[in-house]
Amino acid sequence: MLSSSDFASASWELVVRVDHEIEKQLKDITLRVSGDLHIGGVMLKLVEQMNIAQDWSDFALWWEQKRCWLLKTHWTLDKCGVQADANLLFTPQHKMLRLRLPNAKTVRLRVSFSAVVFKAVADICKVLNIRRPEELSLLKPSGDYSKKKKKKDKNNKEPVIEDVLNLDSSSTSSGSPVSPGLYSKTMTPTYDPINGMPALSTMTWFGDSPLTEQNCNVLAFSQPPPSPDVLADMFQPRSLVDKAKMNAGWLDSSRSLMEQNIQEDEQLLLRFKYYTFFDLNPKYDAVRINQLYEQARWAVLLEEIDCTEEEMLIFAALQYHISKLSQCADIQDFATKSEVDEVEAALSSLEVTLEGGKADNTLEDITDIPKLADYLKLFRPKKLMLKAFKQYWFVFKDTSIAYFKNKELEQGEPIEKLNIRGCEIAPDVNVAGRKFGIKLLIPVADGMNEVYLRCDHEDQYARWMAACILASKGKTMADSSYQPEVISILSFLKMKNRNSSPLVASSMESMDMNPECLVSPRCAKKHKSKQLAARILEAHHNVAQMPLVEAKLQFIQAWQSLPEFGLTYYLVRFKGSKKDDILGVSYNRLIRIDAVTGIPVTTWRFSNMKQWNVNWEIRQVAIEFDQNVSIAFTCLSADCKIVHEYIGGYIFLSTRSKDQNETLDEDLFHKLTGGQD
């Protein structure tokens, strides 16, 4: 039998602070506990001692010194390592957070501060009705992001406060922050593919989601163009080093918000982190498409991605068109539109599926890989040499290009054979100047070889460019994506074709346009306002008939066709190097870029990667590729975990397929991105 003194020596006092909304200040409660008491027992004692009748199911213990949640309620205090000096906080797991979306709108909602960020983002996306949450993540704004705003007066914050969409509701105050029915596979919200509005049957599916009260389609609308003053005030990266700094704030997907010092009601940015947009479907993705369009629009306006003046005008024309359609009253009046019979639509869709789509897409001979053969011009840059193109007979087969002096010599040995697999492909096009070029950057041992090909007209360029793009990914022209790629390139060229008409020019005065809102500040400074407006209207003529959602998709597609698209930059120091370099991370490759000149030096494909890991002691990422190629680098502009997660994240996204029923293998994601194995 234990005496009372023995019992006293085996137990000890534990002070727990309680974060409770009724109490204005944190309240300290002292408990007498023993090491064999489990975490659940500590929580039960706390609740009994406070004697407040309420639902405590969302509360959990947070250990401040160790910066970790004590969520395994069956573990004892001894097993957790909790002793009398531990600072424990009894606090709700779900707290309010302000998220600034790509369309510059701020939403305020309740988010789990105890779940890992990957899971928290998935829950946020359910509330906002954004599919494929694995493509997004949370970014902590850098100091540069609001650097220019500090110069302004304090009233600058007011519009942000007014624009907050508060999605807090009583139904989400504890437990899961989402209505379970909202995101059900059998009740996927349906949108009108023409104007992006929710179908009438969808309106009843939002149930008790906080979006119902706030108007469920508000996030599917694009914001009006920013004023030139607002645009000029925003941070614009001027160099690759500036762009690298912007990517330093990505949160660790394998740790919770609380573990990463995120405070309640803090503002974070919700952004598309990985540039592989899987299964974009106007029927279900009105919000996702709109937010993607907005992220692309800001990237172009703030010159986070480089584009030519000609491309800038196309982006401006599409923005103008989207803005006009978004403001039209008749588009918003969708309630009078008669519903399509859903059974009939489903049968029609099934019929198309069973027939295998259009008949003209079938290959005549599946065993015969198509080839291209034509006269093109070639140029290899050399120092102190003018750009002189020379004509050769080119043959494109499989994933390589061979060229000969003329057509008659095709059966003999080629002058050279270029293997396109793993190359960087960039357009070198000026439609107004009738210049249709393809720039190939071919990896070699000591860097990259530049080769320029010049086509005669749009059709030839579209066919060869599409073949090069596929070949760089290891695909041939027999792949089903070849023909759509050709059509996509041709439609983009058509938009670039400045086809001025008297009708457009005459109606210029009647159109309400502020051209400086639609282009980057640097582009606006080069031209007078009237001249810029005329050129935007000229480009608008080619897109004037597009429906709203199609115009947004076209903008996204044009953004994706830019040479720098999908590259996320980091400032690194390679092992054995004496100078800093820029590392560009893309969905299928890593690129070493000279930090001063911005010229790519070497490219490594993920498909050739054997393994990668992190030495956490010296914070160094090491990667091994085929053919005994290995690289190692330390990251200077961000934590090495962020870069490691990017690489693993892209490899994880490449495993997705349409038969997965939208379920994600979260364990695989953490295995590929965690860096601990």
Side-chain angles (χ1 to χ4, degrees), residues 283-284 340-354:
K283 191 176 178 185
Y284 310 122
V340 177
D341 186 286
E342 290 184 16
V343 176
E344 192 180 321
L347 287 171
S348 169
S349 172
L350 181 64
E351 190 181 331
V352 171
T353 309
L354 292 172

Side-chain angles (χ1 to χ4, degrees), residues 249-311:
W250 288 110
L251 296 190
D252 186 338
S253 296
S254 304
R255 293 161 66 214
S256 69
L257 291 170
M258 200 94 155
E259 288 172 78
Q260 299 180 68
N261 294 318
I262 303 302
Q263 305 299 315
E264 184 169 3
D265 226 26
E266 188 173 333
Q267 179 162 287
L268 297 176
L269 310 178
L270 180 69
R271 292 288 181 270
F272 288 88
K273 178 179 180 180
Y274 299 104
Y275 294 91
T276 52
F277 314 127
F278 188 65
D279 186 28
L280 268 182
N281 189 334
K283 191 176 178 185
Y284 310 122
D285 288 326
V287 176
R288 183 174 169 221
I289 288 168
N290 183 56
Q291 296 300 330
L292 248 181
Y293 157 70
E294 290 284 353
Q295 185 160 325
R297 179 165 77 111
W298 284 108
V300 170
L301 289 176
L302 298 177
E303 295 186 7
E304 289 170 16
I305 186 167
D306 289 337
C307 65
T308 64
E309 195 171 292
E310 191 175 44
E311 288 161 342

Side-chain angles (χ1 to χ4, degrees), residues 49 94 222 231 235 260 301 331 376 422 452 489 493 519 550:
Q49 196 159 322
H94 289 84
S222 57
L231 205 53
F235 174 70
Q260 299 180 68
L301 289 176
I331 282 182
L376 303 176
Y452 288 83
I489 292 167
L493 291 177
V519 296
E550 191 185 323

Side-chain angles (χ1 to χ4, degrees), residues 360-361 463 466 470 477 479-488:
D360 58 3
N361 282 346
R463 284 184 279 111
L470 262 66
M477 284 174 279
D479 192 87
S480 61
S481 61
Y482 174 67
Q483 209 54 45
E485 188 71 47
V486 173
I487 293 165
S488 167

